[in-house]
Amino acid sequence: MSPHALISGAGIAGPALAHQLHARGWRTTVVERATELREDGQNVDVRGTAREVVRRMGLEEEILAAGTREEGTRFVDDTGRPVAEFAAGRDDTRGLTAEAEILRGTLARLLHDRTRTGTEYRFGDRIVDVRQDTEGVTATLERGGTVEADVLVVADGTRSRTRDLVFDDVVLEELGLYAAYLTIPRTADDDRWWTVLNATGSRGVSLRPDDRGTTRAALTFLSGVRGLEALAPESRTAVLRRTFADAGWQTSRVLDALDAPYYMDAIARVHARSWSAGRVVLLGDAAWSTGPFGTGTSLALTGAYVLAAELADGSDHRSALARYEQVVRPFAMKAQGVTATQLRAANPSSRLGLATQRAVLRVAASAPLQPLVERLAAPPADTITLPARYGSPAPARVA
């Protein structure tokens, strides 16, 4: 019988892994706590090695066709006057706005559509107990019953509950950065640029185009207070409205939309001593959540591809999981390397800090420096070279 992988999480990493494992002859089952596929979320990008991965999956053209068509990144002041503009990247890696920008939910749907006939999806359920031995792993599900598999892959996010059933030494590094994400009505003044306002008090407001006739908005801020994301909705909204009351530009428009449902998160990094324990392995944000600088999706796709290739090479699971970690960990750690000083510089608190940031942005956006800035903006995942032993690309479509 074909080997079987049980995957916790139907976001990006889990279905990407299911696609590649099934293409290599494995049986795959995905368990997802949500009752249906989550098609919400903000813009994500696919660049660098991840672009090569989606090419091998036969998804690159679909991703480009379903993109948000974002034209670049513009920084503005509190009156809306442009401070600096950076055009979208023109290849796999460069630019603050990538060539392949897509809504997270759209990417999740593309991956699900490619895997639903070859992968068993169990929505509205979660793993509540894990037992493993030399022969395999057995997971008990909340809604009853068990699933036996050769490996269990935990790919259900930064604050994974499944991970906590097996790993007791994972540390969450809370960065003090909060982000509230919402979708607001599009207006005639909204263009195809990602427009960003940085305000004093380490606050940020941004508007981004999507491909659904609406606009994606985000409110970000640094705070020494922990647990704000867990407040009751009305209290959370009050905090946001108080925090951003005087930010200027189009902030009031975003604050007015907070009466509708929105998502708020406290950004954290994950530090795991090892990504595997026996037959259980971590993938994506559950293994290496990198924080706020936009490498998560590309690393998830790349990590899924590497893990599938290593598991399918026919060696024992311990060797496969060790090689997967050996290939991916250096780049995940590099992506986690943003210091507290860099985080504060990106989110200045004082007028002087904000003025300095804007001066740097103006210089960086000048014609002579733009090519250099584009290269420096490439995320750490771009430098991963897929080992030659992975062989030929997996089939483009899963039957």
Side-chain angles (χ1 to χ4, degrees), residues 46-61:
V46 180
R47 62 171 90 210
T49 307
R51 280 288 291 274
E52 174 60 22
V53 167
V54 297
R55 287 186 195 111
R56 297 185 182 193
M57 295 171 71
L59 273 172
E60 183 183 35
E61 293 305 318

Side-chain angles (χ1 to χ4, degrees), residues 8 17 43 50-51 73 89 105 124 184 223-224 251 285 287 337 340 346 369 381 396:
S8 178
L17 176 67
N43 296 48
R51 280 288 291 274
T73 307
I184 63 177
S223 174
T251 306
D285 283 346
L369 288 182

Side-chain angles (χ1 to χ4, degrees), residues 25-338:
W26 281 54
R27 293 180 296 123
T28 48
T29 301
V30 176
V31 176
E32 167 58 47
R33 183 176 59 177
T35 56
E36 59 186 8
L37 186 69
R38 290 178 50 237
E39 296 191 60
D40 55 355
Q42 300 285 308
N43 296 48
V44 298
D45 55 42
V46 180
R47 62 171 90 210
T49 307
R51 280 288 291 274
E52 174 60 22
V53 167
V54 297
R55 287 186 195 111
R56 297 185 182 193
M57 295 171 71
L59 273 172
E60 183 183 35
E61 293 305 318
E62 289 186 55
I63 288 172
L64 291 173
T68 62
R69 301 184 304 282
E70 189 171 279
E71 295 178 3
T73 307
R74 174 190 298 127
F75 293 88
V76 298
D77 64 18
D78 57 4
T79 68
R81 184 173 53 193
V83 172
E85 293 184 348
F86 301 89
R90 300 180 299 277
D91 58 22
D92 287 4
T93 60
R94 291 181 293 180
L96 296 174
T97 289
E99 182 183 38
E101 292 279 348
I102 187 171
L103 292 178
R104 178 214 163 274
T106 302
L107 180 57
R109 168 59 65 186
L110 290 175
L111 290 167
H112 179 261
D113 287 348
R114 283 297 185 91
T115 55
R116 61 185 178 183
T117 59
T119 295
E120 179 186 5
Y121 279 87
R122 298 191 180 189
F123 288 100
D125 211 345
R126 67 186 182 96
I127 297 169
V128 294
D129 186 62
V130 176
R131 295 286 182 268
Q132 58 176 317
D133 55 31
T134 57
E135 300 301 318
V137 59
T138 301
T140 301
L141 303 184
E142 186 176 49
R143 293 174 59 180
T146 60
V147 178
E148 295 184 356
D150 294 278
V151 294
L152 166 61
V153 182
V154 179
D156 48 9
T158 304
R159 302 178 191 278
S160 168
R161 297 180 183 179
T162 312
R163 180 185 61 210
D164 295 342
L165 298 174
V166 180
F167 297 81
D168 59 7
D169 60 351
V170 173
V171 175
L172 283 184
E173 178 192 1
E174 301 289 350
L175 299 178
L177 179 65
Y178 290 93
Y181 304 105
L182 59 161
T183 302
I184 63 177
R186 184 172 177 81
T187 69
D189 293 331
D190 290 340
D191 57 20
R192 306 306 307 177
W193 285 70
W194 176 17
T195 307
V196 181
L197 166 70
N198 286 314
T200 56
S202 301
R203 299 171 296 172
V205 184
S206 69
L207 301 177
R208 304 190 75 167
D210 63 23
D211 59 331
R212 302 182 184 180
T214 50
T215 293
R216 305 291 161 136
L219 302 168
T220 61
F221 64 103
L222 285 172
S223 174
V225 179
R226 298 294 181 262
L228 296 178
E229 81 287 357
L231 293 174
E234 60 274 12
S235 299
R236 196 174 57 204
T237 298
V239 168
L240 290 172
R241 286 179 169 154
R242 183 169 62 249
T243 299
F244 287 89
D246 64 345
W249 184 49
Q250 298 196 40
T251 306
S252 59
R253 171 189 171 195
V254 179
L255 296 179
D256 288 344
L258 292 175
D259 290 328
Y262 64 92
Y263 174 69
M264 183 170 170
D265 191 19
I267 309 301
R269 285 191 282 231
V270 171
H271 301 284
R273 185 175 303 172
S274 174
W275 291 349
S276 62
R279 292 178 175 271
V280 182
V281 60
L282 305 176
L283 174 65
D285 283 346
W288 61 67
S289 180
T290 58
F293 285 91
T295 57
T297 299
S298 289
L299 274 170
L301 291 165
T302 303
Y305 186 87
V306 172
L307 179 56
E310 295 294 357
L311 284 172
D313 86 335
S315 62
D316 68 278
H317 68 278
R318 287 187 177 85
S319 298
L321 299 183
R323 289 194 304 270
Y324 148 70
E325 185 167 346
Q326 184 179 28
V327 171
V328 180
R329 181 181 275 274
F331 305 99
M333 297 305 97
K334 186 176 180 181
Q336 286 189 334
V338 177

Side-chain angles (χ1 to χ4, degrees), residues 350-385:
S350 67
R351 291 187 180 277
L352 176 60
L354 186 59
T356 301
Q357 183 196 61
R358 289 176 177 171
V360 170
L361 286 171
R362 289 189 183 98
V363 172
S366 62
L369 288 182
Q370 281 247 7
L372 174 63
V373 172
E374 285 184 349
R375 289 196 298 273
L376 293 177
D382 292 339
T383 57
I384 295 178
T385 300

